[in-house]
Amino acid sequence: MSHAVTADSHGHAHDAHDHGPQGILKYIWSTDHKIIAMQYMFTGMIMALIGGFMAYVFRMQLAFPGQSVPGFGVVSPGEYNSLVTNHGSIMIFWVAMPVLIAAFGNYLIPLMTGADDMVFPRINRLSYQIFLISAILIIASLFVSGGGFGGAWTAYPPLSSMSEYSLTKLGSSMWLLAVALEFVAFLLGGINFIVTLMNARAPGMKAYDIPIVCWMIVIASILFMLSVGPLIAGAVMLLFDQMIGTGFFDPTRGGDPVLWQHLFWFFGHPEVYVVLLPAIGIVIEIIATFARKQLFGYKIILYTAIVTGILSFFVWAHHQFIAGIDPRMANVFTVTTLLISVPIAEMMFVTVATLYGGSIRFTTPMLWALAFVAEFLIGGVTGIFLGASGSDIYLHDTYFVLAHFHYTFFPIAIIGTFAGFTYWFPKMFGKMMNETLGKIHFWGTIISFNFIFIPLFFLGIGGQHRRIYNYENFPDLIAGQPLRVVATVAMLAMLAFQVVFFINLFSSLKSGKKAGNNPWKANTLEWTTTSPPPHGNWPQDEMPKVYRGPYEYSHPDRDEDYWPQNLPS
Amino acid sequence: MSTSSATIDTPARPAPTPPRQLLPNGVMGMAIFIFTEVMLFAGLVSAHEIVRSQSIGEMWPPYGQPRLSLGETAINTAALLLSGFVLYLANRIFKQDKAKAVAPTLVALLLGIFFVGAQGAEWVALLGDGLTMTSSTYGAFFYTIVGTHGLHALSAILALGWAWSRLRTGKLTATEFTTVQVFWYFVVLVWPFLYLQVYL
């Protein structure tokens, strides 16, 4: 499908780096940022299907325990644990990260800042190749003897460190190695994003002329860079515990299991913002374009993103309120956690303020963007109860937590991605997507999403613990079974609606309406080149120059309601 | 733009110029990578500090474990610090005359190789004294932290060796040399902290 991009690039002379191998190898070994972005995008989509299938299997087990699941068979407790664990790991590390940061970052940063490619194209390619190996490794870990790792995506020791407990000696180590490799891939990608944004911008593009989504991806990359080190340290220690038997996290030998939790969550919480910020960036681009109005508070968004980033390093222990940490520490982390909702709320208000008084166009990407604001709000508000240590002690490890973070991660990883994908699809492939199918897909997904997770809030408040394989064994909890069935049926509906998306995707690729350079009448630089852009993004003598900010919509001095950044007047 | 009065006042902008580059691409990329590395070592060191503070009877090294050879490692430390200084001098000479920088760069490289070799010899001695990865968390932390640094030192030696061979043939650019140096200085400067943390 992305061959269209490759084939098109043959026609344009861009001799700076066009000497690679030909044919299919040219695609695999390409250093073009757009092709690498597509590789990340479609790998992420395939991994999303795998992760979605896992969710289907274990939700069927929860709704109809012990019965054979069509397409899988009877789920054993070990398989259940492994499915839940790998669903979480895959959706965060192999779907949200590669699509939101790597795919959109790779595609958008050079195009939106007027660069011909990333500054380190070969490192970029290496980044994808390492990522692909990590993806293959995590899938392979499900099929080794003993099965895939089943100790939850947080991998708390001693369950993760001692194979006597986990019973997945190979699976645990492969899971850990895959995660570590994936981090290396994003490390390389992140260096590229930051340096490209700092050094390779178009002439005239000042700091406040950079589109918000580029800032967001770069701030997210910086957060990732600064937070991942301790987790890699922890991963090495955990790997030694698993393979050599060092006892870093084994209290009987002088180690400390809570130490892992600190190392993990020191990364794990900034990680939430690593994926959230790019999604908010995408949403802000779309809302400004389709509200046909200048973005409200460009600098506010940028500064709040930076403040969010800084605060995100001081909230991690709110995941550990019941891990036996000092209550005084719990107080501190409660305060920082409640504080971090302030800058995020500010960003939400900015989107609403941008909509106010605009002439809103309800295209499919705009619907996704608005849904992001609405659904993420529910995720954010329910987070308050978990950030406050008092209520968290009751709600910890219940389905309330699960519903809360799905209300944050689903808007980020799925709604944000669909928003961005449908918005930039015309640029990526030169074709328009079908709006009717897009809207059917949108409403089907959003409605069924709420039917999955709202019941889980009630189950969680009712005290339903997470990580239980079969609730029939718990007489106190079996009363919630009808709600579990509702959630599972809604999930089946949501999966069915994804078929609409793929029909739309393939039919639009094949016979969609020609898009033209700027179908949405947007201002940013990527819309000034052809769709899809040639290798090198612009012909070499027509590299864009920038004369104004990216959100000059409905400027009173102009007849047209948009004012591209590259026009001198 | 400024002619119409009742509209948004857009100040006139100067003609577009390329962005000012704070650092060359390679150096900036390496500097960002170093931040990640600093956090990696910070993670290891803080983990070490936590486990050490919880040791039974505050006894560190634990009962029956050998003390690390403070004195011999001091010599290695001096050699490594010296290599950083020599490389700094090599860079100053490089700016005047590229050909003259070949010899001091080689000296820095050899000092680095001496450091890794001497550390290896020390490991062999410690293994003989019964300090292993599994003998205690003390040993596990020692080999993990010092080993992580050792791997970085080996990578730095490979990078500087590559730079040196290009310097000999006159192909090394200033940006490449600076990039390699940034990594070398990181390996040199992080070591005293690890030395004080792990050995004392």
Side-chain angles (χ1 to χ4, degrees):
Chain A
M1 45 209 95
S2 3
H3 277 286
V5 182
T6 329
D8 198 65
S9 66
H10 280 293
H12 297 266
H14 181 71
D15 34 62
H17 36 86
D18 206 9
H19 301 299
Q22 298 300 312
I24 183 74
L25 276 180
K26 183 182 164 68
Y27 178 73
I28 293 171
W29 289 95
S30 173
T31 53
D32 188 319
H33 72 97
K34 299 183 288 298
I35 291 178
I36 293 170
M38 287 302 113
Q39 290 170 338
Y40 266 118
M41 177 78 81
F42 287 105
T43 314
M45 273 192 193
I46 292 167
M47 295 303 277
L49 290 177
I50 295 170
F53 177 76
M54 291 170 166
Y56 154 77
V57 175
F58 65 69
R59 279 248 49 109
M60 288 296 276
Q61 158 65 23
L62 288 174
F64 313 106
Q67 295 177 31
S68 177
V69 177
F72 187 86
V74 177
V75 187
S76 74
E79 283 168 342
Y80 177 85
N81 287 342
S82 154
L83 285 168
V84 173
T85 301
N86 285 287
H87 165 78
S89 315
I90 286 177
M91 286 302 193
I92 291 170
F93 294 131
W94 282 274
V95 178
M97 298 269 296
V99 171
L100 281 166
I101 301 206
F104 283 115
N106 263 312
Y107 198 83
L108 296 177
I109 288 178
L111 274 170
M112 289 184 121
T113 58
D116 62 349
D117 204 331
M118 287 287 174
V119 291
F120 308 119
R122 281 179 298 174
I123 288 183
N124 207 14
R125 180 183 64 194
L126 182 66
S127 154
Y128 174 73
Q129 288 165 341
I130 294 175
F131 171 74
L132 185 63
I133 292 171
S134 76
I136 293 168
L137 193 58
I138 187 89
I139 300 297
S141 80
L142 301 172
F143 298 102
V144 295
S145 79
F149 176 56
W153 81 285
T154 51
Y156 282 4
L159 189 57
S160 59
S161 61
M162 310 189 53
S163 56
E164 300 93 302
Y165 301 150
S166 69
L167 304 176
T168 55
K169 188 166 175 46
L170 257 177
S172 307
S173 299
M174 283 172 77
W175 179 89
L176 198 55
L177 267 178
V179 172
L181 274 179
E182 198 258 7
F183 291 156
V184 173
F186 287 116
L187 208 58
L188 298 176
I191 291 172
N192 242 322
F193 297 156
I194 299 169
V195 180
T196 305
L197 190 85
M198 300 305 279
N199 278 358
R201 300 195 302 275
M205 184 174 266
K206 299 193 174 62
Y208 296 131
D209 300 332
I210 299 171
I212 287 289
V213 66
C214 297
W215 270 127
M216 290 294 191
I217 291 171
V218 164
I219 293 170
S221 299
I222 294 172
L223 291 187
F224 179 78
M225 299 281 178
L226 291 179
S227 63
V228 76
L231 181 59
I232 290 182
V236 169
M237 288 156 65
L238 187 56
L239 200 65
F240 284 159
D241 269 16
Q242 287 175 353
M243 303 185 88
I244 311 177
T246 40
F248 284 118
F249 303 119
D250 180 358
T252 63
R253 302 175 56 198
D256 181 1
V258 180
L259 176 61
W260 164 266
Q261 300 186 17
H262 283 293
L263 292 172
F264 181 85
W265 287 116
F266 185 82
F267 163 80
H269 207 83
E271 164 72 13
V272 174
Y273 298 94
V274 168
V275 289
L276 169 64
L277 292 179
I280 288 188
I282 289 168
V283 164
I284 284 172
E285 293 294 327
I286 293 169
I287 283 183
T289 303
F290 292 115
R292 311 308 295 170
K293 187 170 158 246
Q294 191 163 29
L295 181 66
F296 183 91
Y298 178 103
K299 291 183 185 175
I300 293 177
I301 300 172
L302 182 55
Y303 296 154
T304 49
I306 293 168
V307 169
T308 309
I310 295 168
L311 274 176
S312 73
F313 284 96
F314 302 98
V315 298
W316 80 87
H318 68 216
H319 297 272
Q320 298 164 256
F321 285 149
I322 63 160
I325 62 170
D326 192 318
R328 286 165 299 181
M329 201 159 109
N331 282 346
V332 173
F333 280 97
T334 296
V335 172
T336 54
T337 305
L338 299 187
L339 266 182
I340 204 170
S341 57
V342 175
I344 293 293
E346 253 172 42
M347 286 192 227
M348 295 291 126
F349 285 127
V350 161
T351 59
V352 176
T354 305
L355 290 169
Y356 180 78
S359 56
I360 299 168
R361 292 172 178 36
F362 288 104
T363 56
T364 311
M366 183 62 162
L367 289 177
W368 285 112
L370 295 173
F372 175 91
V373 177
E375 303 290 353
F376 187 81
L377 190 68
I378 302 177
V381 169
T382 51
I384 305 283
F385 301 99
L386 301 171
S389 54
S391 48
D392 180 70
I393 287 169
Y394 174 71
L395 294 170
H396 193 95
D397 260 352
T398 65
Y399 265 64
F400 190 87
V401 177
L402 187 141
H404 155 71
F405 73 68
H406 279 87
Y407 261 102
T408 57
F409 265 99
F410 187 91
I412 292 168
I414 308 295
I415 298 181
T417 299
F418 278 130
F421 190 76
T422 48
Y423 181 64
W424 280 290
F425 183 87
K427 185 50 62 185
M428 289 169 178
F429 304 104
K431 303 277 178 68
M432 301 301 288
M433 283 187 106
N434 185 312
E435 283 285 307
T436 315
L437 286 177
K439 281 172 184 164
I440 293 172
H441 172 229
F442 167 77
W443 286 112
T445 307
I446 291 296
I447 293 171
S448 48
F449 161 66
N450 285 292
F451 270 99
I452 301 174
F453 291 106
I454 285 179
L456 300 188
F457 277 123
F458 290 108
L459 286 172
I461 294 172
Q464 178 180 314
H465 197 276
R466 293 167 73 182
R467 313 194 201 290
I468 288 176
Y469 159 66
N470 183 349
Y471 287 91
E472 282 177 332
N473 302 331
F474 297 85
D476 294 345
L477 297 176
I478 197 64
Q481 195 63 15
L483 285 176
R484 266 171 232 130
V485 175
V486 168
T488 300
V489 171
M491 195 215 54
L492 293 176
M494 189 167 88
L495 286 181
F497 274 106
Q498 303 318 303
V499 176
V500 180
F501 170 74
F502 283 101
I503 291 173
N504 190 1
L505 173 67
F506 290 116
S507 72
S508 304
L509 278 175
K510 195 161 171 286
S511 52
K513 195 157 68 74
K514 278 246 179 303
N517 286 3
N518 193 356
W520 309 123
K521 299 197 187 330
N523 286 344
T524 40
L525 290 179
E526 79 271 29
W527 303 105
T528 63
T529 183
T530 51
S531 310
H535 188 60
N537 296 342
W538 287 270
Q540 255 177 336
D541 48 346
E542 292 173 29
M543 294 303 283
K545 289 188 171 63
V546 172
Y547 295 88
R548 67 188 58 73
Y551 304 110
E552 300 289 330
Y553 291 102
S554 303
H555 196 282
D557 290 351
R558 259 178 87 81
D559 297 335
E560 282 165 311
D561 68 349
Y562 67 115
W563 201 355
Q565 282 187 285
N566 65 329
L567 294 186
S569 63
Chain B
M1 274 173 262
S2 52
T3 48
S4 52
S5 52
T7 58
I8 298 171
D9 189 32
T10 319
R13 287 171 61 127
T17 49
R20 189 167 52 94
Q21 298 204 338
L22 284 175
L23 292 169
N25 292 342
V27 181
M28 185 187 272
M30 182 55 77
I32 296 164
F33 180 65
I34 299 295
F35 276 114
T36 312
E37 294 283 40
V38 168
M39 291 304 289
L40 168 70
F41 280 103
L44 285 171
V45 163
S46 52
H48 174 252
E49 192 56 36
I50 287 168
V51 170
R52 174 188 193 162
S53 69
Q54 294 170 347
S55 55
I56 301 160
E58 308 255 326
M59 204 169 147
W60 197 262
Y63 180 74
Q65 290 289 294
R67 274 215 156 273
L68 299 171
S69 46
L70 208 55
E72 287 162 34
T73 315
I75 297 168
N76 302 350
T77 307
L80 191 65
L81 289 173
L82 187 62
S83 83
F85 183 65
V86 172
L87 192 61
Y88 169 73
L89 290 181
N91 185 48
R92 292 188 62 150
I93 298 167
F94 180 83
K95 283 178 183 160
Q96 311 291 329
D97 180 2
K98 288 190 180 187
K100 281 188 188 160
V102 175
T105 307
L106 183 63
V107 173
L109 185 59
L110 291 175
L111 282 168
I113 292 170
F114 168 78
F115 170 79
V116 173
Q119 289 290 100
E122 191 200 319
W123 277 32
V124 173
L126 284 169
L127 285 171
D129 291 345
L131 186 72
T132 66
M133 284 289 271
T134 48
S135 65
S136 64
T137 45
Y138 177 67
F141 269 113
F142 170 75
Y143 288 111
T144 306
I145 295 177
V146 178
T148 307
H149 181 265
L151 280 179
H152 282 81
L154 276 178
S155 330
I157 286 168
L158 288 177
L160 195 63
W162 170 84
W164 178 71
S165 72
R166 278 173 73 86
L167 187 61
R168 268 180 43 184
T169 49
K171 281 188 278 189
L172 189 72
T173 66
T175 302
E176 285 168 351
F177 198 33
T178 318
T179 307
V180 171
Q181 281 177 47
V182 169
F183 189 59
W184 189 274
Y185 296 146
F186 163 70
V187 169
V188 169
L189 291 178
V190 79
W191 175 251
F193 294 99
L194 301 181
Y195 175 66
L196 293 175
Q197 176 72 26
V198 179
Y199 283 77
L200 290 183

